[in-house]
Amino acid sequence: MAKVVVDVMLKPEILDPQGQAIQRALPSLGFDEVTSVRQGKHFELDISAGDAAAVADKVAATLLANPVIEDFTVRVEAG
Amino acid sequence: MAKVVVDVMLKPEILDPQGQAIQRALPSLGFDEVTSVRQGKHFELDISAGDAAAVADKVAATLLANPVIEDFTVRVEAG
């Protein structure tokens, strides 16, 4: 049993309105030192068989990320 | 300039309908080996001054996570 983390982020050239909204809210909360915020998605998969990294890569490319506007990273955490 | 990653996940005892929806879609796409999927949020912050980990921790607790139902982790990646 492998635990795999997939992080999906908008490509750098794609506008991220969620991140911008957070960034604009921070100064009024006293966090002037945060100069950039980008938001993405985080998935934790349990994979029971096979090459966990390869399976997670295919799952991410097929279902978790939109390859037109998003990049993803796969990290095997245990197993 | 430090780059800090904050991952926010629903607590394990909280139902995750997004993750369940993904998990149910996977067998029909041929991914029978994925036994569990949970979805969370991933944030990448650039922090220009101070103790980046401490700032990110406060930002996460204040604005990025709902501590009633979510846990978060902070990881300083560079700087």
Side-chain angles (χ1 to χ4, degrees):
Chain A
M1 174 71 73
K3 187 181 178 84
V4 183
V5 170
V6 178
D7 288 317
V8 178
M9 293 296 289
L10 287 167
K11 290 184 179 180
E13 64 270 28
I14 305 287
L15 192 68
D16 174 14
Q18 286 182 301
Q20 285 186 342
I22 294 164
Q23 194 182 342
R24 283 184 200 161
L26 286 170
S28 65
L29 294 168
F31 299 110
D32 295 306
E33 58 273 67
V34 181
T35 56
S36 166
V37 179
R38 287 185 73 84
Q39 178 169 356
K41 290 175 282 184
H42 176 88
F43 299 92
E44 295 181 358
L45 314 180
D46 290 342
I47 297 178
S48 63
D51 179 346
V55 170
D57 206 74
K58 271 192 212 163
V59 170
T62 310
L63 192 65
L64 304 182
N66 174 354
V68 178
I69 57 167
E70 291 171 328
D71 291 324
F72 64 86
T73 60
V74 172
R75 194 169 74 243
V76 179
E77 296 230 311
Chain B
M1 175 72 74
K3 188 182 178 82
V4 183
V5 171
V6 178
D7 288 318
V8 177
M9 293 296 288
L10 287 167
K11 291 183 179 180
E13 64 269 27
I14 305 287
L15 191 68
D16 174 15
Q18 286 182 299
Q20 284 186 344
I22 294 165
Q23 193 181 343
R24 281 182 202 164
L26 286 170
S28 65
L29 294 169
F31 299 110
D32 295 306
E33 58 273 67
V34 181
T35 56
S36 165
V37 180
R38 286 185 73 83
Q39 178 169 358
K41 290 174 281 184
H42 176 88
F43 299 93
E44 295 181 358
L45 314 180
D46 289 342
I47 297 178
S48 63
D51 179 346
V55 170
D57 205 77
K58 272 192 213 163
V59 169
T62 308
L63 193 65
L64 304 182
N66 174 354
V68 177
I69 57 167
E70 292 171 328
D71 291 324
F72 63 87
T73 59
V74 172
R75 195 170 73 242
V76 179
E77 296 231 312

mmCIF file of all heavy atoms in Angstrom, chain A residues 26-68:
data_model
loop_
_atom_site.group_PDB
_atom_site.id
_atom_site.type_symbol
_atom_site.label_atom_id
_atom_site.label_comp_id
_atom_site.label_asym_id
_atom_site.label_seq_id
_atom_site.Cartn_x
_atom_site.Cartn_y
_atom_site.Cartn_z
ATOM 1 N N LEU A 26 -4.911 39.636 2.831
ATOM 2 C CA LEU A 26 -3.883 39.463 3.872
ATOM 3 C C LEU A 26 -3.401 40.769 4.514
ATOM 4 O O LEU A 26 -3.244 40.801 5.734
ATOM 5 C CB LEU A 26 -2.696 38.671 3.298
ATOM 6 C CG LEU A 26 -2.990 37.173 3.111
ATOM 7 C CD1 LEU A 26 -1.880 36.499 2.332
ATOM 8 C CD2 LEU A 26 -3.158 36.493 4.462
ATOM 9 N N PRO A 27 -3.142 41.847 3.753
ATOM 10 C CA PRO A 27 -2.651 43.063 4.424
ATOM 11 C C PRO A 27 -3.591 43.571 5.510
ATOM 12 O O PRO A 27 -3.143 44.000 6.578
ATOM 13 C CB PRO A 27 -2.518 44.071 3.274
ATOM 14 C CG PRO A 27 -2.299 43.226 2.069
ATOM 15 C CD PRO A 27 -3.141 41.991 2.299
ATOM 16 N N SER A 28 -4.894 43.490 5.282
ATOM 17 C CA SER A 28 -5.821 43.987 6.294
ATOM 18 C C SER A 28 -5.845 43.096 7.531
ATOM 19 O O SER A 28 -6.353 43.483 8.579
ATOM 20 C CB SER A 28 -7.222 44.105 5.704
ATOM 21 O OG SER A 28 -7.696 42.816 5.358
ATOM 22 N N LEU A 29 -5.292 41.891 7.416
ATOM 23 C CA LEU A 29 -5.176 41.006 8.579
ATOM 24 C C LEU A 29 -3.793 41.106 9.217
ATOM 25 O O LEU A 29 -3.479 40.370 10.144
ATOM 26 C CB LEU A 29 -5.438 39.551 8.159
ATOM 27 C CG LEU A 29 -6.867 39.246 7.683
ATOM 28 C CD1 LEU A 29 -6.932 37.878 7.017
ATOM 29 C CD2 LEU A 29 -7.825 39.280 8.857
ATOM 30 N N GLY A 30 -2.941 41.988 8.677
ATOM 31 C CA GLY A 30 -1.633 42.211 9.280
ATOM 32 C C GLY A 30 -0.503 41.400 8.664
ATOM 33 O O GLY A 30 0.610 41.398 9.197
ATOM 34 N N PHE A 31 -0.770 40.742 7.555
ATOM 35 C CA PHE A 31 0.275 39.921 6.934
ATOM 36 C C PHE A 31 0.828 40.621 5.696
ATOM 37 O O PHE A 31 0.600 40.197 4.561
ATOM 38 C CB PHE A 31 -0.282 38.538 6.563
ATOM 39 C CG PHE A 31 -0.793 37.752 7.734
ATOM 40 C CD1 PHE A 31 -2.141 37.517 7.894
ATOM 41 C CD2 PHE A 31 0.076 37.245 8.687
ATOM 42 C CE1 PHE A 31 -2.619 36.792 8.972
ATOM 43 C CE2 PHE A 31 -0.386 36.520 9.764
ATOM 44 C CZ PHE A 31 -1.741 36.292 9.912
ATOM 45 N N ASP A 32 1.591 41.701 5.929
ATOM 46 C CA ASP A 32 2.119 42.466 4.797
ATOM 47 C C ASP A 32 3.257 41.746 4.098
ATOM 48 O O ASP A 32 3.614 42.083 2.970
ATOM 49 C CB ASP A 32 2.638 43.825 5.302
ATOM 50 C CG ASP A 32 1.513 44.682 5.836
ATOM 51 O OD1 ASP A 32 0.541 44.889 5.092
ATOM 52 O OD2 ASP A 32 1.609 45.124 6.990
ATOM 53 N N GLU A 33 3.862 40.756 4.751
ATOM 54 C CA GLU A 33 5.060 40.132 4.200
ATOM 55 C C GLU A 33 4.768 39.035 3.184
ATOM 56 O O GLU A 33 5.691 38.479 2.599
ATOM 57 C CB GLU A 33 5.964 39.608 5.329
ATOM 58 C CG GLU A 33 5.328 38.604 6.266
ATOM 59 C CD GLU A 33 4.583 39.249 7.432
ATOM 60 O OE1 GLU A 33 3.553 39.918 7.168
ATOM 61 O OE2 GLU A 33 4.996 39.068 8.590
ATOM 62 N N VAL A 34 3.493 38.727 2.961
ATOM 63 C CA VAL A 34 3.148 37.706 1.965
ATOM 64 C C VAL A 34 2.988 38.397 0.612
ATOM 65 O O VAL A 34 2.077 39.193 0.412
ATOM 66 C CB VAL A 34 1.852 36.963 2.359
ATOM 67 C CG1 VAL A 34 1.537 35.885 1.323
ATOM 68 C CG2 VAL A 34 1.995 36.342 3.743
ATOM 69 N N THR A 35 3.913 38.114 -0.318
ATOM 70 C CA THR A 35 3.940 38.853 -1.581
ATOM 71 C C THR A 35 3.217 38.126 -2.713
ATOM 72 O O THR A 35 2.933 38.733 -3.739
ATOM 73 C CB THR A 35 5.396 39.131 -2.012
ATOM 74 O OG1 THR A 35 6.091 37.883 -2.086
ATOM 75 C CG2 THR A 35 6.095 40.020 -1.010
ATOM 76 N N SER A 36 2.948 36.849 -2.553
ATOM 77 C CA SER A 36 2.252 36.115 -3.614
ATOM 78 C C SER A 36 1.537 34.905 -3.016
ATOM 79 O O SER A 36 2.061 34.245 -2.120
ATOM 80 C CB SER A 36 3.256 35.657 -4.679
ATOM 81 O OG SER A 36 2.675 34.690 -5.528
ATOM 82 N N VAL A 37 0.338 34.648 -3.499
ATOM 83 C CA VAL A 37 -0.406 33.452 -3.094
ATOM 84 C C VAL A 37 -0.954 32.812 -4.360
ATOM 85 O O VAL A 37 -1.551 33.500 -5.195
ATOM 86 C CB VAL A 37 -1.594 33.796 -2.162
ATOM 87 C CG1 VAL A 37 -2.348 32.522 -1.775
ATOM 88 C CG2 VAL A 37 -1.126 34.533 -0.926
ATOM 89 N N ARG A 38 -0.733 31.524 -4.507
ATOM 90 C CA ARG A 38 -1.410 30.779 -5.569
ATOM 91 C C ARG A 38 -2.057 29.548 -4.949
ATOM 92 O O ARG A 38 -1.493 28.923 -4.062
ATOM 93 C CB ARG A 38 -0.438 30.391 -6.700
ATOM 94 C CG ARG A 38 -0.068 31.615 -7.551
ATOM 95 C CD ARG A 38 0.785 31.294 -8.735
ATOM 96 N NE ARG A 38 0.111 30.615 -9.824
ATOM 97 C CZ ARG A 38 -0.601 31.200 -10.789
ATOM 98 N NH1 ARG A 38 -0.781 32.493 -10.802
ATOM 99 N NH2 ARG A 38 -1.145 30.477 -11.754
ATOM 100 N N GLN A 39 -3.283 29.264 -5.409
ATOM 101 C CA GLN A 39 -4.024 28.137 -4.835
ATOM 102 C C GLN A 39 -4.145 27.017 -5.853
ATOM 103 O O GLN A 39 -4.383 27.251 -7.031
ATOM 104 C CB GLN A 39 -5.425 28.591 -4.408
ATOM 105 C CG GLN A 39 -6.234 27.418 -3.840
ATOM 106 C CD GLN A 39 -7.517 27.821 -3.156
ATOM 107 O OE1 GLN A 39 -7.823 29.004 -3.019
ATOM 108 N NE2 GLN A 39 -8.281 26.842 -2.705
ATOM 109 N N GLY A 40 -3.991 25.793 -5.371
ATOM 110 C CA GLY A 40 -4.187 24.629 -6.216
ATOM 111 C C GLY A 40 -4.928 23.552 -5.452
ATOM 112 O O GLY A 40 -5.536 23.816 -4.417
ATOM 113 N N LYS A 41 -4.854 22.352 -5.969
ATOM 114 C CA LYS A 41 -5.546 21.220 -5.356
ATOM 115 C C LYS A 41 -4.529 20.193 -4.870
ATOM 116 O O LYS A 41 -3.455 20.054 -5.443
ATOM 117 C CB LYS A 41 -6.489 20.571 -6.379
ATOM 118 C CG LYS A 41 -7.681 21.434 -6.716
ATOM 119 C CD LYS A 41 -8.548 20.841 -7.805
ATOM 120 C CE LYS A 41 -7.940 21.051 -9.165
ATOM 121 N NZ LYS A 41 -8.800 20.567 -10.267
ATOM 122 N N HIS A 42 -4.894 19.504 -3.815
ATOM 123 C CA HIS A 42 -4.006 18.537 -3.172
ATOM 124 C C HIS A 42 -4.799 17.236 -3.049
ATOM 125 O O HIS A 42 -5.915 17.237 -2.536
ATOM 126 C CB HIS A 42 -3.624 19.100 -1.796
ATOM 127 C CG HIS A 42 -2.790 18.201 -0.943
ATOM 128 N ND1 HIS A 42 -1.419 18.184 -1.002
ATOM 129 C CD2 HIS A 42 -3.129 17.303 0.016
ATOM 130 C CE1 HIS A 42 -0.955 17.304 -0.131
ATOM 131 N NE2 HIS A 42 -1.961 16.768 0.499
ATOM 132 N N PHE A 43 -4.234 16.150 -3.544
ATOM 133 C CA PHE A 43 -4.925 14.859 -3.478
ATOM 134 C C PHE A 43 -4.034 13.862 -2.760
ATOM 135 O O PHE A 43 -2.818 13.827 -2.991
ATOM 136 C CB PHE A 43 -5.221 14.318 -4.881
ATOM 137 C CG PHE A 43 -6.108 15.208 -5.710
ATOM 138 C CD1 PHE A 43 -5.564 16.153 -6.554
ATOM 139 C CD2 PHE A 43 -7.487 15.099 -5.636
ATOM 140 C CE1 PHE A 43 -6.372 16.982 -7.317
ATOM 141 C CE2 PHE A 43 -8.305 15.920 -6.398
ATOM 142 C CZ PHE A 43 -7.748 16.869 -7.241
ATOM 143 N N GLU A 44 -4.633 13.039 -1.915
ATOM 144 C CA GLU A 44 -3.912 11.950 -1.271
ATOM 145 C C GLU A 44 -4.548 10.639 -1.717
ATOM 146 O O GLU A 44 -5.731 10.392 -1.436
ATOM 147 C CB GLU A 44 -3.954 12.108 0.253
ATOM 148 C CG GLU A 44 -3.197 13.368 0.696
ATOM 149 C CD GLU A 44 -3.167 13.587 2.199
ATOM 150 O OE1 GLU A 44 -3.778 12.754 2.928
ATOM 151 O OE2 GLU A 44 -2.563 14.561 2.637
ATOM 152 N N LEU A 45 -3.777 9.832 -2.423
ATOM 153 C CA LEU A 45 -4.280 8.561 -2.952
ATOM 154 C C LEU A 45 -3.621 7.400 -2.216
ATOM 155 O O LEU A 45 -2.422 7.440 -1.936
ATOM 156 C CB LEU A 45 -3.937 8.425 -4.445
ATOM 157 C CG LEU A 45 -4.187 9.613 -5.378
ATOM 158 C CD1 LEU A 45 -3.766 9.244 -6.795
ATOM 159 C CD2 LEU A 45 -5.638 10.001 -5.372
ATOM 160 N N ASP A 46 -4.383 6.365 -1.934
ATOM 161 C CA ASP A 46 -3.823 5.090 -1.488
ATOM 162 C C ASP A 46 -3.856 4.142 -2.675
ATOM 163 O O ASP A 46 -4.924 3.931 -3.261
ATOM 164 C CB ASP A 46 -4.640 4.503 -0.330
ATOM 165 C CG ASP A 46 -4.465 5.299 0.951
ATOM 166 O OD1 ASP A 46 -3.481 6.066 1.037
ATOM 167 O OD2 ASP A 46 -5.306 5.165 1.847
ATOM 168 N N ILE A 47 -2.713 3.589 -3.015
ATOM 169 C CA ILE A 47 -2.613 2.712 -4.182
ATOM 170 C C ILE A 47 -2.104 1.360 -3.714
ATOM 171 O O ILE A 47 -1.067 1.268 -3.065
ATOM 172 C CB ILE A 47 -1.699 3.343 -5.247
ATOM 173 C CG1 ILE A 47 -2.331 4.653 -5.719
ATOM 174 C CG2 ILE A 47 -1.483 2.393 -6.421
ATOM 175 C CD1 ILE A 47 -1.528 5.422 -6.722
ATOM 176 N N SER A 48 -2.871 0.317 -4.045
ATOM 177 C CA SER A 48 -2.634 -0.992 -3.422
ATOM 178 C C SER A 48 -1.687 -1.890 -4.205
ATOM 179 O O SER A 48 -1.191 -2.866 -3.672
ATOM 180 C CB SER A 48 -3.967 -1.724 -3.234
ATOM 181 O OG SER A 48 -4.546 -1.955 -4.503
ATOM 182 N N ALA A 49 -1.459 -1.610 -5.472
ATOM 183 C CA ALA A 49 -0.659 -2.534 -6.276
ATOM 184 C C ALA A 49 0.022 -1.786 -7.412
ATOM 185 O O ALA A 49 -0.358 -0.674 -7.755
ATOM 186 C CB ALA A 49 -1.543 -3.644 -6.842
ATOM 187 N N GLY A 50 1.045 -2.422 -7.976
ATOM 188 C CA GLY A 50 1.713 -1.855 -9.145
ATOM 189 C C GLY A 50 2.676 -0.735 -8.782
ATOM 190 O O GLY A 50 2.974 -0.499 -7.613
ATOM 191 N N ASP A 51 3.145 -0.051 -9.808
ATOM 192 C CA ASP A 51 4.073 1.062 -9.637
ATOM 193 C C ASP A 51 3.260 2.293 -9.261
ATOM 194 O O ASP A 51 2.640 2.935 -10.105
ATOM 195 C CB ASP A 51 4.825 1.277 -10.962
ATOM 196 C CG ASP A 51 5.796 2.448 -10.880
ATOM 197 O OD1 ASP A 51 5.697 3.246 -9.917
ATOM 198 O OD2 ASP A 51 6.644 2.568 -11.768
ATOM 199 N N ALA A 52 3.249 2.611 -7.944
ATOM 200 C CA ALA A 52 2.342 3.646 -7.440
ATOM 201 C C ALA A 52 2.553 4.982 -8.138
ATOM 202 O O ALA A 52 1.590 5.679 -8.475
ATOM 203 C CB ALA A 52 2.527 3.789 -5.932
ATOM 204 N N ALA A 53 3.816 5.351 -8.375
ATOM 205 C CA ALA A 53 4.085 6.647 -9.005
ATOM 206 C C ALA A 53 3.526 6.684 -10.423
ATOM 207 O O ALA A 53 2.943 7.692 -10.842
ATOM 208 C CB ALA A 53 5.588 6.924 -9.006
ATOM 209 N N ALA A 54 3.681 5.574 -11.148
ATOM 210 C CA ALA A 54 3.187 5.541 -12.528
ATOM 211 C C ALA A 54 1.663 5.572 -12.563
ATOM 212 O O ALA A 54 1.066 6.274 -13.399
ATOM 213 C CB ALA A 54 3.711 4.284 -13.234
ATOM 214 N N VAL A 55 1.025 4.817 -11.648
ATOM 215 C CA VAL A 55 -0.440 4.828 -11.583
ATOM 216 C C VAL A 55 -0.938 6.236 -11.254
ATOM 217 O O VAL A 55 -1.852 6.764 -11.902
ATOM 218 C CB VAL A 55 -0.950 3.811 -10.543
ATOM 219 C CG1 VAL A 55 -2.442 3.989 -10.302
ATOM 220 C CG2 VAL A 55 -0.649 2.383 -10.983
ATOM 221 N N ALA A 56 -0.330 6.848 -10.228
ATOM 222 C CA ALA A 56 -0.771 8.180 -9.815
ATOM 223 C C ALA A 56 -0.575 9.184 -10.943
ATOM 224 O O ALA A 56 -1.397 10.090 -11.143
ATOM 225 C CB ALA A 56 0.005 8.613 -8.569
ATOM 226 N N ASP A 57 0.502 9.042 -11.688
ATOM 227 C CA ASP A 57 0.757 9.931 -12.817
ATOM 228 C C ASP A 57 -0.370 9.828 -13.846
ATOM 229 O O ASP A 57 -0.866 10.845 -14.338
ATOM 230 C CB ASP A 57 2.096 9.525 -13.446
ATOM 231 C CG ASP A 57 2.754 10.674 -14.167
ATOM 232 O OD1 ASP A 57 3.284 11.572 -13.483
ATOM 233 O OD2 ASP A 57 2.695 10.676 -15.405
ATOM 234 N N LYS A 58 -0.777 8.596 -14.133
ATOM 235 C CA LYS A 58 -1.856 8.406 -15.118
ATOM 236 C C LYS A 58 -3.180 8.937 -14.582
ATOM 237 O O LYS A 58 -3.964 9.548 -15.313
ATOM 238 C CB LYS A 58 -2.005 6.917 -15.440
ATOM 239 C CG LYS A 58 -1.116 6.461 -16.581
ATOM 240 C CD LYS A 58 -1.525 5.052 -17.029
ATOM 241 C CE LYS A 58 -0.338 4.270 -17.519
ATOM 242 N NZ LYS A 58 -0.576 2.836 -17.591
ATOM 243 N N VAL A 59 -3.467 8.658 -13.284
ATOM 244 C CA VAL A 59 -4.710 9.162 -12.686
ATOM 245 C C VAL A 59 -4.740 10.682 -12.739
ATOM 246 O O VAL A 59 -5.755 11.298 -13.102
ATOM 247 C CB VAL A 59 -4.848 8.672 -11.225
ATOM 248 C CG1 VAL A 59 -5.992 9.390 -10.524
ATOM 249 C CG2 VAL A 59 -5.056 7.166 -11.185
ATOM 250 N N ALA A 60 -3.607 11.303 -12.410
ATOM 251 C CA ALA A 60 -3.554 12.772 -12.404
ATOM 252 C C ALA A 60 -3.790 13.325 -13.798
ATOM 253 O O ALA A 60 -4.561 14.272 -13.986
ATOM 254 C CB ALA A 60 -2.201 13.236 -11.858
ATOM 255 N N ALA A 61 -3.135 12.719 -14.794
ATOM 256 C CA ALA A 61 -3.263 13.229 -16.156
ATOM 257 C C ALA A 61 -4.655 12.995 -16.718
ATOM 258 O O ALA A 61 -5.137 13.753 -17.563
ATOM 259 C CB ALA A 61 -2.214 12.565 -17.052
ATOM 260 N N THR A 62 -5.339 11.923 -16.245
ATOM 261 C CA THR A 62 -6.650 11.555 -16.785
ATOM 262 C C THR A 62 -7.781 12.301 -16.102
ATOM 263 O O THR A 62 -8.731 12.747 -16.743
ATOM 264 C CB THR A 62 -6.887 10.036 -16.587
ATOM 265 O OG1 THR A 62 -5.765 9.322 -17.071
ATOM 266 C CG2 THR A 62 -8.135 9.585 -17.309
ATOM 267 N N LEU A 63 -7.694 12.409 -14.769
ATOM 268 C CA LEU A 63 -8.878 12.815 -14.015
ATOM 269 C C LEU A 63 -8.655 14.002 -13.082
ATOM 270 O O LEU A 63 -9.579 14.779 -12.848
ATOM 271 C CB LEU A 63 -9.341 11.601 -13.180
ATOM 272 C CG LEU A 63 -10.710 11.691 -12.540
ATOM 273 C CD1 LEU A 63 -11.785 11.744 -13.607
ATOM 274 C CD2 LEU A 63 -10.946 10.503 -11.622
ATOM 275 N N LEU A 64 -7.451 14.144 -12.541
ATOM 276 C CA LEU A 64 -7.274 15.152 -11.484
ATOM 277 C C LEU A 64 -6.883 16.520 -12.022
ATOM 278 O O LEU A 64 -7.219 17.538 -11.434
ATOM 279 C CB LEU A 64 -6.215 14.679 -10.473
ATOM 280 C CG LEU A 64 -6.477 13.324 -9.818
ATOM 281 C CD1 LEU A 64 -5.385 13.003 -8.820
ATOM 282 C CD2 LEU A 64 -7.833 13.292 -9.139
ATOM 283 N N ALA A 65 -6.145 16.539 -13.122
ATOM 284 C CA ALA A 65 -5.664 17.824 -13.654
ATOM 285 C C ALA A 65 -6.209 18.045 -15.057
ATOM 286 O O ALA A 65 -6.476 17.100 -15.790
ATOM 287 C CB ALA A 65 -4.145 17.830 -13.686
ATOM 288 N N ASN A 66 -6.380 19.305 -15.403
ATOM 289 C CA ASN A 66 -6.699 19.690 -16.779
ATOM 290 C C ASN A 66 -5.393 20.136 -17.427
ATOM 291 O O ASN A 66 -4.897 21.229 -17.150
ATOM 292 C CB ASN A 66 -7.706 20.839 -16.751
ATOM 293 C CG ASN A 66 -7.965 21.393 -18.133
ATOM 294 O OD1 ASN A 66 -7.323 20.992 -19.098
ATOM 295 N ND2 ASN A 66 -8.906 22.315 -18.223
ATOM 296 N N PRO A 67 -4.815 19.289 -18.268
ATOM 297 C CA PRO A 67 -3.457 19.582 -18.758
ATOM 298 C C PRO A 67 -3.362 20.842 -19.623
ATOM 299 O O PRO A 67 -2.263 21.320 -19.864
ATOM 300 C CB PRO A 67 -3.098 18.325 -19.568
ATOM 301 C CG PRO A 67 -4.390 17.654 -19.863
ATOM 302 C CD PRO A 67 -5.332 18.013 -18.768
ATOM 303 N N VAL A 68 -4.492 21.359 -20.044
ATOM 304 C CA VAL A 68 -4.452 22.601 -20.831
ATOM 305 C C VAL A 68 -4.024 23.779 -19.957
ATOM 306 O O VAL A 68 -3.251 24.639 -20.392
ATOM 307 C CB VAL A 68 -5.835 22.872 -21.474
ATOM 308 C CG1 VAL A 68 -5.812 24.186 -22.241
ATOM 309 C CG2 VAL A 68 -6.238 21.726 -22.378
#
